[in-house]
């Protein structure tokens, strides 16, 4: 338990110390923000700081810091280190700069400000990449909750249309359309803070349940400085990809511009962007601790956790909440597994609309213009979602690539932030170092993962276990990261000489 407390303390201290360093490096001032200067009553709307924080937290969190952290706990308490230092030095930095650079560029979407600092080619790549990613995220976060609601209805003894996935999917998509279309302060600004509090309360309840139950003990990092993964999956770089939202996530950079358009003052950025990421890191740390403390260990491996995770994310969350909080926990778990994905899904579609509006320069202040984008975006989501509901489309293969593309997006945004700091003649190492690190993470995973190049270079034992070819992947990943750093430093030097 001592290592958990130390990591928790480091996260809190990191917000007040390194978070302030990040804020001072950017240099917020008293200039007029887009929410004030543009204020279209739809996407550019001033909201109070506490709402900005809770909406940002829910936008970037959802089930990410819960299920991702529990999956990361398969490697054992060593995951605490990645959650802690990843949040402080990578995730918080990424979220802060993606939000503040967007704010400095009239609240532009991630594709637009990335293109401004990395060039037109990268801009077009990011436009397509981010729209496809956002629609995919939104659709999956419609299909998943629909299936969970059906399960709840069946368990509750209901029958008929209420127990069909298609019915609930259509209702969720209708809600998505409304939430994507209307002003951000009408639904998102009103109910998201409540659900954000539920996410925090659920995490607090879990850790109190662990500490008050003598049967549960959070293992120490120093006693388990090895991989406890039952399948023998390497820590590098699989753990760093698996625990995405709880340490650093590229998806956050698609969400930060939403709040960048609603800030009254630049000086709110430290609390809203860096602070929300630290809060998510704390939530992830708690759920990772639950994964390490509640389940049996066999031969030094987390076999019990692997077993519960095999039942799916809803089953795992339900089990943890019921064991730590009883009936209250079960109620919170149901809110979490249904509401959290939906709240991430609707903001994903909203971000897709805004990305397209920035891309094609379509003013979103008019109803007709919003309809021009809402209809095709939600239309594609509906076709994909209904196709999945009736068994015509299988997301399993596609979704396996999400974790990698998510961290690759974070890598690109950090490089864009580095070029921004170069252009501002400020300390670019604060973003260049995590950008280099994430470049090594993403490239190594791409080479090792079975769904990527791993199928070509890895082998299998007679029992069918995967033997990862780390001797090839590790050097290539490190070299790739160094090459990107060299390219960046040359570009920075050229810019300085111009």
């Amino acid at each position: 338990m001592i290592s958990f407390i130390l990591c928790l303390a480091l996260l809190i201290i990191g917000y007040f110390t390194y978070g302030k360093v990040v804020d001072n490096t950017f240099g917020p001032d008293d200039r007029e923000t887009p929410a004030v200067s543009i204020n279209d009553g739809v996407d550019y709307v001033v909201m109070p700081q506490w709402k900005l924080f809770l909406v940002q937290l829910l936008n970037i969190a959802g089930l990410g810091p819960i299920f991702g952290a529990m999956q990361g706990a398969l490697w054992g308490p060593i995951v605490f280190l990645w959650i802690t230092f990843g949040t402080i030095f990578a995730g918080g930095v990424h979220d802060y700069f993606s939000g503040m650079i967007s704010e400095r560029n009239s609240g532009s979407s991630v594709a637009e400000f990335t293109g401004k600092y990395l060039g037109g080619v990268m801009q077009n790549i990011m436009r397509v990449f981010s729209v496809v990613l956002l629609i995919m995220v939104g659709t999956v976060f419609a299909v998943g909750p629909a299936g969970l609601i059906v399960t709840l209805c069946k368990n509750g003894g209901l029958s008929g249309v209420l127990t069909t996935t298609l019915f609930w999917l259509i209702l969720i998509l209708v809600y998505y359309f409304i939430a994507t279309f209307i002003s951000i302060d009408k639904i998102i600004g009103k109910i998201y803070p409540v659900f954000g509090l539920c996410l925090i309360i659920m995490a607090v309840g879990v850790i109190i349940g662990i500490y008050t139950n003598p049967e549960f003990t959070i293992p120490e990092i120093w006693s388990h400085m090895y991989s406890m993964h039952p399948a023998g999956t390497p820590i590098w770089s699989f753990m760093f990809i698996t625990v995405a939202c709880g340490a650093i996530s590229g998806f956050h950079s698609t969400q930060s511009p939403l709040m960048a358009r609603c800030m009254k003052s630049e000086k709110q950025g430290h609390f809203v962007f860096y602070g929300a990421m630290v809060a998510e890191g704390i939530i992830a740390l708690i759920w990772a601790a639950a994964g390490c403390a509640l389940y049996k260990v066999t031969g030094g491996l987390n076999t019990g956790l692997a077993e519960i995770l095999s039942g799916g994310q809803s089953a795992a969350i339900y089990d943890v909440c019921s064991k730590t909080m009883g009936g209250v926990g079960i109620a919170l778990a149901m809110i979490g597994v249904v509401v959290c994905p939906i709240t991430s899904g609707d903001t994903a579609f909203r971000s897709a609309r805004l990305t397209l509006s920035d891309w094609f320069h379509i003013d979103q202040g008019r109803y007709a213009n919003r309809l021009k984008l809402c209809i095709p975006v939600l239309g594609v989501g509906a076709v994909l979602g209904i196709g999945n509901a009736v068994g015509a489309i299988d997301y399993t293969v596609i979704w396996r690539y999400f974790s990698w593309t998510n961290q690759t997006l974070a890598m690109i945004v950090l490089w864009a932030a580095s070029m921004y700091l170069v252009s501002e003649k400020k300390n670019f190492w604060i973003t260049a170092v995590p950008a280099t690190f994430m470049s090594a993470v993403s490239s190594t995973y791409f080479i090792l993962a079975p769904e990527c190049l791993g199928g070509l270079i890895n082998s299998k034992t007679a029992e069918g276990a995967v033997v990862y070819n780390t001797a090839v992947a590790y050097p290539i990943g490190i070299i790739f990261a160094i090459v990107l750093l060299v390219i960046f430093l040359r570009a920075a030097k050229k810019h300085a000489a111009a």
Side-chain angles (χ1 to χ4, degrees):
M1 290 189 180
I2 296 175
S3 55
F4 170 82
I5 295 173
L6 287 175
C7 287
L8 179 62
L10 284 173
L11 281 169
I12 297 171
I13 293 170
Y15 168 76
F16 291 102
T17 55
Y18 196 73
K20 201 60 183 175
V21 170
V22 172
D23 194 42
N24 290 337
T25 299
F26 179 85
D29 54 37
D30 295 322
R31 73 183 67 194
E32 201 171 51
T33 63
V36 178
S37 61
I38 299 175
N39 202 326
D40 62 359
V42 180
D43 300 306
Y44 294 85
V45 179
V46 174
M47 290 199 294
Q49 180 172 276
W50 68 270
K51 276 192 176 182
L52 292 172
F53 171 82
L54 288 173
V55 172
Q56 173 72 2
L57 174 61
L58 201 58
N59 284 354
I60 66 175
L63 289 181
I66 297 177
F67 194 62
M70 287 190 69
Q71 286 182 310
L74 286 170
W75 281 274
I78 197 169
V79 73
F80 298 170
L81 297 177
W82 169 229
I83 292 173
T84 303
F85 294 106
T87 295
I88 295 170
F89 297 108
V93 176
H94 168 274
D95 288 15
Y96 178 87
F97 276 98
S98 62
M100 295 305 289
I101 294 175
S102 171
E103 185 274 334
R104 282 280 173 94
N105 287 274
S106 301
S108 62
S109 59
V110 61
E112 302 308 306
F113 71 73
T114 297
K116 179 177 180 179
Y117 299 105
L118 296 183
V121 173
M122 183 57 70
Q123 182 180 50
N124 288 324
I125 291 174
M126 287 290 286
R127 282 168 171 170
V128 175
F129 183 84
S130 56
V131 170
V132 171
L133 180 66
L134 286 166
I135 291 177
M136 184 175 71
V137 169
T139 304
V140 172
F141 283 161
V143 173
L148 292 171
I149 294 173
V150 168
T151 301
L152 292 175
C153 289
K154 289 180 178 178
N155 291 340
L158 299 177
S159 60
V161 70
L162 294 177
T163 57
T164 62
T165 302
L166 186 60
F167 171 77
W168 290 106
L169 177 62
I170 292 173
L171 282 186
I172 292 171
L173 289 171
V174 169
Y175 161 73
Y176 279 0
F177 183 88
I178 296 171
T180 302
F181 180 79
I182 68 174
S183 173
I184 193 168
D185 62 334
K186 300 304 181 188
I187 292 180
I188 294 175
K190 282 185 168 59
I191 65 173
Y192 274 36
V194 176
F195 294 137
L197 286 172
C198 287
L199 190 66
I200 295 172
I201 291 170
M202 186 160 59
V204 172
V206 167
I207 196 60
I208 291 176
I210 293 173
Y211 270 88
T212 55
N213 192 325
E215 295 181 12
F216 305 140
T217 302
I218 302 174
E220 307 294 357
I221 298 172
W222 45 82
S223 301
H224 301 81
M225 290 295 289
Y226 61 91
S227 174
M228 299 177 68
H229 200 291
T233 307
I235 293 176
W236 180 269
S237 60
F238 287 87
M239 186 183 75
F240 298 85
I241 290 288
T242 301
V243 186
C245 294
I248 178 172
S249 168
F251 176 69
H252 296 184
S253 65
T254 68
Q255 302 301 293
S256 292
L258 296 180
M259 293 301 97
R261 301 180 186 216
C262 299
M263 296 194 326
K264 186 177 182 179
S265 168
E266 283 195 345
K267 295 177 182 178
Q268 296 174 327
H270 176 222
F271 179 65
V272 173
F273 298 121
Y274 197 94
M277 183 61 232
V278 169
E280 184 174 22
I282 291 173
I283 292 171
L285 185 68
I286 290 172
W287 281 91
C292 292
L294 269 61
Y295 303 101
K296 66 179 182 180
V297 174
T298 305
L301 303 177
N302 281 332
T303 53
L305 177 58
E307 182 180 350
I308 192 65
L309 288 174
S310 65
Q313 58 184 359
S314 58
I317 295 170
Y318 182 95
D319 190 65
V320 170
C321 288
S322 63
K323 286 180 177 178
T324 55
M325 293 180 283
V328 174
I330 293 173
L332 287 172
M334 291 304 98
I335 293 175
V337 298
V338 173
V339 172
C340 287
I342 291 177
T343 55
S344 293
D346 63 6
T347 52
F349 278 119
R350 191 179 190 93
S351 296
R353 171 174 68 79
L354 294 175
T355 299
L356 289 170
S357 70
D358 288 347
W359 185 353
F360 297 107
H361 307 289
I362 301 175
D363 177 29
Q364 295 297 282
R366 298 175 56 191
Y367 289 116
N369 286 343
R370 294 207 296 280
L371 283 174
K372 289 178 183 177
L373 298 180
C374 284
I375 290 174
V377 166
L378 270 297
V380 172
V383 170
L384 294 175
I386 293 172
N388 178 256
V390 299
I393 300 174
D394 183 8
Y395 281 108
T396 305
V397 176
I398 299 175
W399 193 247
R400 280 200 300 245
Y401 292 91
F402 172 72
S403 294
W404 174 75
T405 53
N406 188 39
Q407 300 302 63
T408 301
L409 177 59
M411 172 195 81
I412 295 171
V413 171
L414 284 169
W415 283 123
S418 300
M419 286 307 301
Y420 165 81
L421 290 173
V422 168
S423 67
E424 295 292 315
K425 296 181 173 56
K426 295 181 178 180
N427 176 25
F428 56 75
W429 288 107
I430 203 167
T431 52
V433 170
T436 305
F437 181 83
M438 292 310 299
S439 298
V441 167
S442 294
S443 56
T444 304
Y445 181 85
F446 184 75
I447 297 168
L448 276 181
E451 62 267 22
C452 299
L453 297 183
L456 300 176
I457 69 168
N458 297 331
S459 59
K460 289 187 177 181
T461 64
E463 292 77 22
V466 178
V467 179
Y468 294 94
N469 194 342
T470 57
V472 171
Y474 288 0
I476 293 177
I478 293 172
I479 292 171
F480 177 77
I482 293 173
V483 168
L484 288 186
L485 178 61
V486 171
I487 293 173
F488 164 74
L489 291 175
R490 287 185 176 179
K493 184 177 180 181
K494 183 178 179 180
H495 187 278

